[in-house]
Amino acid sequence: MTDRTYDVLAMGRSSIDLYSNDIGAPFEEITSFAAFVGGCPTNISVGARRLGLNPALLTGVGEDKVGSFILHFLRREGIETKYIPLKPGKRSSAVVLGIEPPDRFPLTYYRDNCADIALTIDDVLAAPVADSRTLLISGTGLSQEPSRSATLFAAETAQAAGTTVVLDIDFRPDQWDDPRAFGVVVRSALRVVDIVLGTEDEINAAMLTDQSQVSLTHSQVSDARVSGDVQAAIRTLLSLGPRVLVQKRGASGTTVHLSENGNQPRQIEVPGFPVEVRNILGAGDAFAAGVLYGFVQGWDWYKTIRLANACGAILVTQHGCANFMPTHDEAMTFIQNHGGF
């Protein structure tokens, strides 16, 4: 795949993210916000670019100033934006976030009539799926039509073209009419996915069958608790198509589960980087950017995940998401200062 133009085609959400400037203040007492760019695949594309990859982004924006804000930032970062359609009559998405470290990050989405969920199969046909080494999709992109069908079509197209499909589970329970539908749809998509990224809660969500498994506190829709037998969920998930499942465990590190011809998955344990948490939002996206970088470079899984862990650790010490993604030099210096690869 050395002759392909793009290292990553990321597909899905984009938004303006309004982060509280009053760190530690209850949401009701916030007095001001800082404006950043967000959305799982958008953040990942920025993270990948800062590490040194050549990404393109397939999202949708409205014909509004928020859309202009998003596109201006992406172009300044060097992200290929020519495949991003304007969606007349739709609105660019927005997110409002409180920051109460170490464990409260209340979040409210404004995604009614949003542009990125209006992505269509025609938008995918106009995008460089077969001219990219990897396709990054996310769970929220499967939450509604026409984005659901467009995302599945993109994954099918990628698989046929030999483009590696990476799924960030990205479980956002309030974006689904029924959380059980998330499990149904994600399981149906796994047949066209090669690599899956998710936390223990997200892995359980992918196998979700009972609404009572989901608990949500402090409006933390980015950090929902999902009960279940995670080891059974891992085995089932890998039996449905993916060859790799990357289980994110925060400061405890990461476990890579490798499917091997129907045998018990082989595991690789990779230590994390304990840091003082300021804001967890966006850390998983920085992690995913590290995974994509290592994969495209042909690194082994241990080295790849060590970089991904470093990217995530750096992000949790920052105020926002895309705007704070680490560069290649920053990530390498962090790793060198924390025990190396």
Side-chain angles (χ1 to χ4, degrees):
M1 294 192 290
T2 56
D3 58 341
R4 299 197 178 188
T5 302
Y6 301 103
D7 295 310
V8 182
L9 174 62
M11 178 180 181
R13 288 193 292 127
S14 60
S15 61
I16 184 172
D17 284 5
L18 303 178
Y19 278 75
S20 170
N21 284 325
D22 301 304
I23 308 300
F27 200 95
E28 295 79 6
E29 298 178 12
I30 293 171
T31 61
S32 68
F33 295 89
F36 303 121
V37 166
C40 171
T42 302
N43 293 336
I44 292 170
S45 70
V46 174
R49 178 63 182 150
R50 289 190 178 183
L51 289 174
L53 298 184
N54 184 24
L57 180 61
L58 175 55
T59 187
V61 296
E63 295 179 313
D64 50 46
K65 287 298 183 181
V66 172
S68 299
F69 176 88
I70 294 168
L71 291 172
H72 174 72
F73 173 79
L74 292 171
R75 289 166 182 156
R76 192 175 64 210
E77 287 290 324
I79 309 298
E80 180 58 79
T81 62
K82 68 182 179 182
Y83 305 106
I84 299 176
L86 295 178
K87 294 293 182 179
K90 303 293 182 181
R91 287 294 187 194
S92 304
S93 183
V95 183
V96 181
L97 311 104
I99 303 177
E100 301 174 52
D103 60 355
R104 295 191 182 195
F105 303 93
L107 178 154
T108 302
Y109 281 117
Y110 291 87
R111 291 181 57 77
D112 291 340
N113 194 41
C114 78
D116 60 64
I117 283 293
L119 287 173
T120 66
I121 289 174
D122 284 335
D123 295 327
V124 174
L125 288 170
V129 177
D131 198 23
S132 301
R133 292 175 175 82
T134 59
L135 170 71
L136 184 284
I137 61 175
S138 70
T140 303
L142 298 167
S143 63
Q144 296 180 42
E145 292 292 354
S147 175
R148 178 184 300 134
S149 294
T151 302
L152 292 171
F153 178 79
E156 288 181 343
T157 303
Q159 192 174 68
T163 298
T164 299
V165 181
V166 182
L167 168 67
D168 191 303
I169 297 177
D170 189 41
F171 179 48
R172 304 289 186 261
D174 72 333
Q175 299 301 298
W176 294 78
D177 292 332
D178 185 326
R180 292 170 297 188
F182 176 84
V184 171
V185 175
V186 167
R187 290 191 294 275
S188 74
L190 292 175
R191 63 185 175 81
V192 285
V193 171
D194 300 296
I195 300 170
V196 178
L197 313 177
T199 63
E200 177 175 321
D201 293 298
E202 289 178 320
I203 293 166
N204 283 334
M207 299 298 126
L208 192 66
T209 57
D210 184 343
Q211 293 189 74
S212 68
Q213 291 176 249
V214 182
S215 62
L216 195 64
T217 58
H218 315 303
S219 300
Q220 295 189 152
V221 296
S222 289
D223 193 31
R225 301 274 77 86
V226 186
S227 63
D229 183 340
V230 70
Q231 294 305 318
I234 289 166
R235 290 191 296 271
T236 301
L237 191 153
L238 287 172
S239 74
L240 294 174
R243 63 178 188 269
V244 182
L245 171 59
V246 179
Q247 180 187 3
K248 300 180 289 186
R249 298 186 289 112
S252 298
T254 300
T255 305
V256 182
H257 304 268
L258 303 173
S259 178
E260 296 187 330
N261 300 320
N263 297 322
Q264 181 76 12
R266 180 165 65 90
Q267 297 181 355
I268 301 172
E269 298 290 346
V270 186
F273 298 92
V275 293
E276 184 175 346
V277 175
R278 186 184 191 192
N279 171 29
I280 64 169
L281 301 163
D285 302 332
F287 178 96
V291 172
L292 290 167
Y293 181 86
F295 179 80
V296 169
Q297 298 301 320
W299 290 1
D300 63 43
W301 279 111
Y302 186 93
K303 184 177 181 181
T304 294
I305 300 304
R306 189 74 169 152
L307 172 65
N309 285 341
C311 291
I314 291 169
L315 229 286
V316 299
T317 67
Q318 304 300 312
H319 191 74
C321 295
N323 300 63
F324 298 93
M325 292 287 163
T327 65
H328 182 273
D329 287 349
E330 288 169 342
M332 292 303 174
T333 298
F334 180 91
I335 293 169
Q336 183 177 2
N337 292 338
H338 292 79
F341 282 102

